[in-house]
Amino acid sequence: MNGAASGSRPSDLLPASILGLLGARGPLTRAELASALRVSSASITQASKELMSKGMVLELGQLASGGGRPARPLSLVGSAGQIVGVKVTASHMAVVAAKLDGEATLTRNIPLDVSRPDALDIAARSLQEVLAAVDGPVLGVGVGIPGSVDSLESGVADSPTIGWRNAQVGTVLRQRLGVPVLVENDVNALAVAEQVYGVGIKYSTYLVVTIGRGIGCGIVIGGEVFRGAGGGAGEIGHVPVADDGPLCPYGHSGCLESLIGSAGLVRRAVELGFFDATGLQGLNAELEAIRMLAARAERDPSVAEGLFGWAGRLLGSAVAGAVNLLNPETVVVLGEGSEHWALWEPGFAESFRSKLISSRRWVPYIVDPWDEDKWALGAAALVIASSFDKDGSTGYQGELVRERLSVAASNRAKA
Ligand SMILES: [Zn+2]
């Protein structure tokens, strides 16, 4: 491969796709590879033969396969490099380096003043230091932004949350870091992580709903993240759910996020007299306040019902609307707010179930245990997912990742 213009045919992509998938998910049989990559088993047999002859993939011992022909899983030889993920927030960058299977090897929390005009340069400098500390080759860097991003490849971001307009995230970081860089909306990045490591193994059409500072939604349809015309799909936080309420950054009232995002929850707690917000400042103070309110809600049913029950019901209505509209197989709930899901759930379950149309009344929802690193790991998953990118959405940066993966795996095989 020698550049963006050469245009990859699917058959050229297949060996790197196999390497990426084996790296992400661990050993897989040829049948599992064929089904995950949606190609014929003959193509998998051909491509895996080539990879085995180059010493990049090996065949493990036989596994009994339910009475049929024994299946021999294929495995990646050694570690083929690391992936790096960055989540940009209003106060800092959460950074993680991970092996291809998603196991974190390094995490950093780097303060960043996003309001500075040279914020991207400062970010690049900090990330150079992180890359220098990563052991082994870096396949690429994924960046999650709380806003809309034009495409993964060009990475121009607009984010009212952090005050970035037309920010050239992809171009600046690529030049400064010298590795492939893929930029995506942060919730879409979580949806990609679910594709690689989570529910995507079982489901192909699902919603990833995040609760916390913001309320977001990643939409995966037929195994692909649906990004919309300008990369801005999934703004469930701006679905109107009330006639009035505080104004959102776009100047609308009654938006879901303004009501039940962390700022909205704190505001409601003050209105109901559960909480005195005098002196409360900053995002972390907000999250602390919510932790405190959650602890109170455990003891006091009026706080549980008036705050979290109410929020759960509004969320349930909006998500039911999205399920009625898009007909997914399942819904995943994630984000820092899911720490208190036991408090949200009664209200959520009630309004969600009651507002679904009858044919999808039993659509399951899944709540994963949450920790803050997941945002950055989600961004890192953009890199590994680009190695089995089927629709070409990762463009030339995706090609560069595949190239690096093949080189790293073959160097490793020689070692
Ligand atoms: Zn809004």
Side-chain angles (χ1 to χ4, degrees):
M1 274 183 268
N2 62 350
S6 65
S8 308
R9 292 185 311 277
S11 61
D12 296 334
L13 296 182
L14 193 52
S17 303
I18 293 174
L19 292 174
L21 204 59
L22 292 176
R25 297 214 182 138
L28 294 169
T29 63
R30 290 174 179 82
E32 287 165 335
L33 284 166
S35 127
L37 296 169
R38 278 176 269 157
V39 295
S40 70
S41 43
S43 324
I44 294 289
T45 303
Q46 180 58 38
S48 55
K49 199 186 278 176
E50 189 186 317
L51 289 168
M52 283 195 291
S53 73
K54 289 182 182 161
M56 291 155 91
V57 159
L58 57 88
E59 199 169 49
L60 302 179
Q62 292 188 1
L63 284 185
S65 66
R69 278 217 318 262
R72 289 165 163 269
L74 299 172
S75 166
L76 194 63
V77 174
S79 151
Q82 295 212 36
I83 52 181
V84 172
V86 183
K87 148 90 172 176
V88 181
T89 78
S91 60
H92 69 280
M93 290 190 292
V95 185
V96 63
K99 295 184 193 166
L100 302 192
D101 62 6
E103 188 199 333
T105 58
L106 170 157
T107 58
R108 292 265 200 287
N109 197 318
I110 304 171
L112 180 69
D113 180 356
V114 289
S115 65
R116 289 178 59 135
D118 58 349
L120 268 176
D121 281 315
I122 296 170
R125 218 172 305 142
S126 307
L127 291 174
Q128 280 170 334
E129 286 168 24
V130 174
L131 294 193
V134 173
D135 187 26
V138 171
L139 297 177
V141 175
V143 184
I145 304 278
S148 60
V149 175
D150 66 334
S151 78
L152 284 108
E153 183 178 19
S154 83
V156 179
D158 276 313
S159 168
T161 314
I162 59 174
W164 286 7
R165 282 267 323 135
N166 212 21
Q168 307 291 313
V169 182
T171 309
V172 171
L173 294 185
R174 204 166 291 144
Q175 274 169 4
R176 299 283 297 275
L177 301 178
V179 296
V181 174
L182 294 150
V183 189
E184 177 60 292
N185 165 269
D186 54 359
V187 181
N188 282 351
L190 281 181
V192 169
E194 287 291 334
Q195 272 181 307
V196 180
Y197 303 119
V199 296
I201 297 171
K202 191 168 160 202
Y203 299 104
S204 67
T205 297
Y206 51 90
L207 305 178
V208 175
V209 174
T210 61
I211 58 176
R213 297 181 181 103
I215 307 292
C217 183
I219 303 166
V220 178
I221 298 176
E224 308 290 348
V225 174
F226 175 74
R227 309 183 78 258
E235 292 280 14
I236 201 170
H238 296 279
V239 167
V241 291
D243 290 334
D244 51 19
L247 293 184
C248 79
Y250 298 103
H252 308 143
S253 60
C255 290
L256 183 66
E257 179 173 295
S258 327
L259 291 162
I260 67 165
S262 49
L265 275 184
V266 170
R267 189 180 300 108
R268 179 163 171 98
V270 172
E271 280 167 12
L272 295 179
F274 296 151
F275 182 66
D276 177 7
T278 317
L280 184 80
Q281 270 208 324
L283 294 167
N284 289 331
E286 239 163 57
L287 291 180
E288 271 314 305
I290 286 167
R291 281 204 187 102
M292 207 195 73
L293 286 161
R296 267 192 64 189
E298 305 281 356
R299 302 186 303 270
D300 182 345
S302 68
V303 178
E305 169 49 32
L307 198 58
F308 296 96
W310 166 83
R313 277 194 299 280
L314 287 179
L315 181 71
S317 295
V319 176
V323 169
N324 290 340
L325 188 68
L326 296 164
N327 193 15
E329 298 161 276
T330 188
V331 176
V332 187
V333 180
L334 292 170
E336 52 275 1
S338 67
E339 206 182 309
H340 311 300
W341 183 248
L343 292 163
W344 287 67
E345 180 155 30
F348 177 85
E350 177 205 316
S351 75
F352 179 63
R353 295 281 171 229
S354 69
K355 285 170 182 165
L356 290 173
I357 59 178
S358 56
S359 62
R360 53 204 67 154
R361 175 107 350 124
W362 299 111
V363 168
Y365 56 86
I366 300 163
V367 185
D368 283 352
W370 177 257
D371 70 71
E372 207 53 44
D373 289 342
K374 280 212 180 168
W375 283 117
L377 268 174
L382 296 170
V383 178
I384 189 66
S386 72
S387 68
F388 37 91
D389 168 26
K390 287 177 291 284
D391 62 358
S393 65
T394 58
Y396 183 46
Q397 295 303 303
E399 269 186 48
L400 291 176
V401 172
R402 291 188 283 273
E403 213 171 273
R404 283 175 165 248
L405 186 60
S406 303
V407 170
S410 66
N411 285 344
R412 178 70 194 197
K414 280 181 223 144

